[in-house]
Amino acid sequence: MDLRSHLLDGQAIPAQPLALTAKRKLDERRQTALTRYYVAAGAGGLAVGVHSTQFAIREPQHALFRPVLELASQAIDEALGKNPRDFIKIAGICGRTPQAVCEAETAMDLGYHAGLLSLAAFAGEDDDTVLAHARAVAETMPIIGFYLQPAVGGRTFGFPFWRQFAEIPNLLAVKVAPFNRYQTIDVARAVAETGRDDVALYTGNDDNIVVDLFTKFRFICHGRARERFFSGGLLGQWAVWTWRAVRLLDEAKVARAKGAMNPGWLTKAAALTDANAAVFDAANGFRGCIPGIHEVLRREGLLAGTWCLDENEALSPGQADEIVRVSRAYPFLTDDDFVRAHVDEWLK
């Protein structure tokens, strides 16, 4: 598989959640079922060990980083062994440089193709320090940059940072997820200015997915016009209703190629943003975003509950009702029927 071509072609890549028992222990059966679901839904890859998987899997009392990555890798290989196709395995990479390099080595050992590089551990560092860290990790495995919104642990970076980041030779893509239009444009312009056509842009702006997929970013760089699109999405929102998400992306790519974004797409964009607000608990500063993902999957039968490693991390008051509301209001976004038809086989 040519990783760059695969990403540039545009893929729907879910960010995998963590399946736990009521005792907050890894539920291997349901964790494997989740992976089978994403592959069966047609996702072009899977991101494991990322924010939706809970960063706390790395803490010594849980020690779940390797087990969770290994379970997902094995389930992907099993599924693709029956129906081969290109599929990118992405591992979340966190921490200071020694930890991040160690995680990258573990991921490579388990068959992962790229690392989604969290920079949250460098909250107070200057750009040069963070860039040196990114280059060091990229020497171990190909990386995907990650602009994570501050509300869930990220930090703000300016255009000069992303301009240098985009020059890293082993950079495959950037997941742009600041939930901020100004900062999103910073990344798109930075990549455009490098002149690199081999670095893909992936939306992680779960609040603006459809508009991101249709936006043509046009900049004048060194006296010439350069244009960039978001190739696809790497999203926590696409950890639910994934079958529909894959088809939404495919339809958007066809419409985009024809230069035809009819007004119906804007209606669909607003619906998906409304649905995301419920799942991600936007009304409460995203405090219930991970339990919200769990609640959708619980309602479908893929998860047994909404438990997180942190017992204080739970659905906000009224959030479950909001998820019911958007599920009923926008049935064209959900894939309950698809899951219902296959969940028993995924849970075997």
Side-chain angles (χ1 to χ4, degrees):
M1 174 176 59
D2 184 322
L3 295 177
R4 292 190 184 278
S5 295
H6 184 63
L7 288 169
L8 289 166
D9 283 345
Q11 309 300 328
I13 303 176
Q16 189 178 54
L18 181 67
L20 297 175
T21 68
K23 294 183 178 180
R24 302 183 195 277
K25 302 297 182 182
L26 178 62
D27 187 333
E28 294 190 6
R29 174 169 162 262
R30 292 185 181 275
Q31 191 71 36
T32 298
L34 284 175
T35 304
R36 291 171 177 165
Y37 163 48
Y38 298 131
V39 176
L46 184 63
V48 187
V50 294
H51 174 251
S52 297
T53 327
Q54 301 176 51
F55 292 137
I57 61 173
R58 296 161 171 82
E59 293 174 1
Q61 67 269 33
H62 304 303
L64 288 174
F65 179 75
R66 185 182 183 100
V68 169
L69 263 66
E70 188 167 18
L71 269 180
S73 186
Q74 290 173 348
I76 291 167
D77 290 347
E78 176 190 356
L80 296 180
K82 300 173 183 175
N83 298 289
R85 62 183 175 88
D86 287 346
F87 191 98
I88 185 169
K89 300 177 189 177
I90 300 170
I93 304 298
C94 295
R96 305 290 291 191
T97 305
Q99 176 186 336
V101 169
C102 181
E103 290 188 2
E105 290 172 345
T106 297
M108 290 287 286
D109 182 54
L110 294 173
Y112 283 76
H113 303 106
L116 183 65
L117 186 62
S118 169
L119 302 175
F122 293 83
E125 303 285 1
D126 59 39
D127 285 0
D128 288 343
T129 300
V130 183
L131 288 164
H133 165 74
R135 294 183 186 113
V137 178
E139 290 178 1
T140 302
M141 78 183 308
I143 63 170
I144 296 172
F146 188 9
Y147 199 169
L148 177 64
Q149 63 157 323
V152 291
R155 58 164 282 187
T156 300
F157 290 98
F159 170 80
F161 171 84
W162 290 111
R163 179 63 183 80
Q164 294 182 75
F165 192 96
E167 295 278 8
I168 296 173
N170 215 14
L171 175 69
L172 298 178
V174 181
K175 170 181 173 172
V176 187
F179 286 40
N180 179 293
R181 306 317 296 159
Y182 303 113
Q183 293 162 3
T184 295
I185 289 171
D186 279 345
V187 181
R189 182 163 71 95
V191 174
E193 280 211 358
T194 66
R196 293 183 67 174
D197 294 322
D198 63 338
V199 174
L201 293 175
Y202 268 65
T203 181
N205 289 321
D206 303 73
D207 65 336
N208 207 55
I209 298 168
V210 173
V211 174
D212 269 358
L213 292 174
F214 275 96
T215 300
K216 179 189 291 184
F217 296 94
R218 188 175 187 273
F219 307 102
I220 304 300
C221 307
H222 312 298
R224 59 171 293 192
R226 295 195 62 84
E227 297 177 348
R228 294 303 302 261
F229 278 105
F230 280 101
S231 296
L234 199 172
L235 297 151
Q237 175 63 40
W238 284 356
V240 303
W241 305 329
T242 312
W243 189 86
R244 293 284 190 180
V246 170
R247 278 132 196 90
L248 180 146
L249 175 60
D250 287 345
E251 292 168 9
K253 286 160 61 177
V254 170
R256 190 173 69 191
K258 294 178 179 178
M261 181 183 180
N262 66 52
W265 277 105
L266 293 177
T267 302
K268 190 174 290 188
L272 187 51
T273 298
D274 188 19
N276 176 257
V279 176
F280 271 39
D281 194 27
N284 295 289
F286 305 100
R287 284 193 295 274
C289 62
I290 293 176
I293 292 170
H294 292 179
E295 174 64 6
V296 175
L297 297 170
R298 184 200 65 79
R299 286 167 49 84
E300 293 178 326
L302 278 160
L303 292 185
T306 63
W307 307 291
C308 295
L309 291 172
D310 181 352
E311 62 184 20
N312 295 313
E313 194 167 1
L315 291 167
S316 292
Q319 188 182 357
D321 291 338
E322 274 293 282
I323 290 171
V324 171
R325 177 185 69 81
V326 297
S327 298
R328 291 175 176 170
Y330 313 118
F332 56 89
L333 294 179
T334 72
D335 57 15
D336 294 358
D337 291 343
F338 173 73
V339 176
R340 191 177 301 113
H342 299 284
V343 65
D344 289 341
E345 69 184 78
W346 296 332
L347 284 166
K348 286 182 180 176

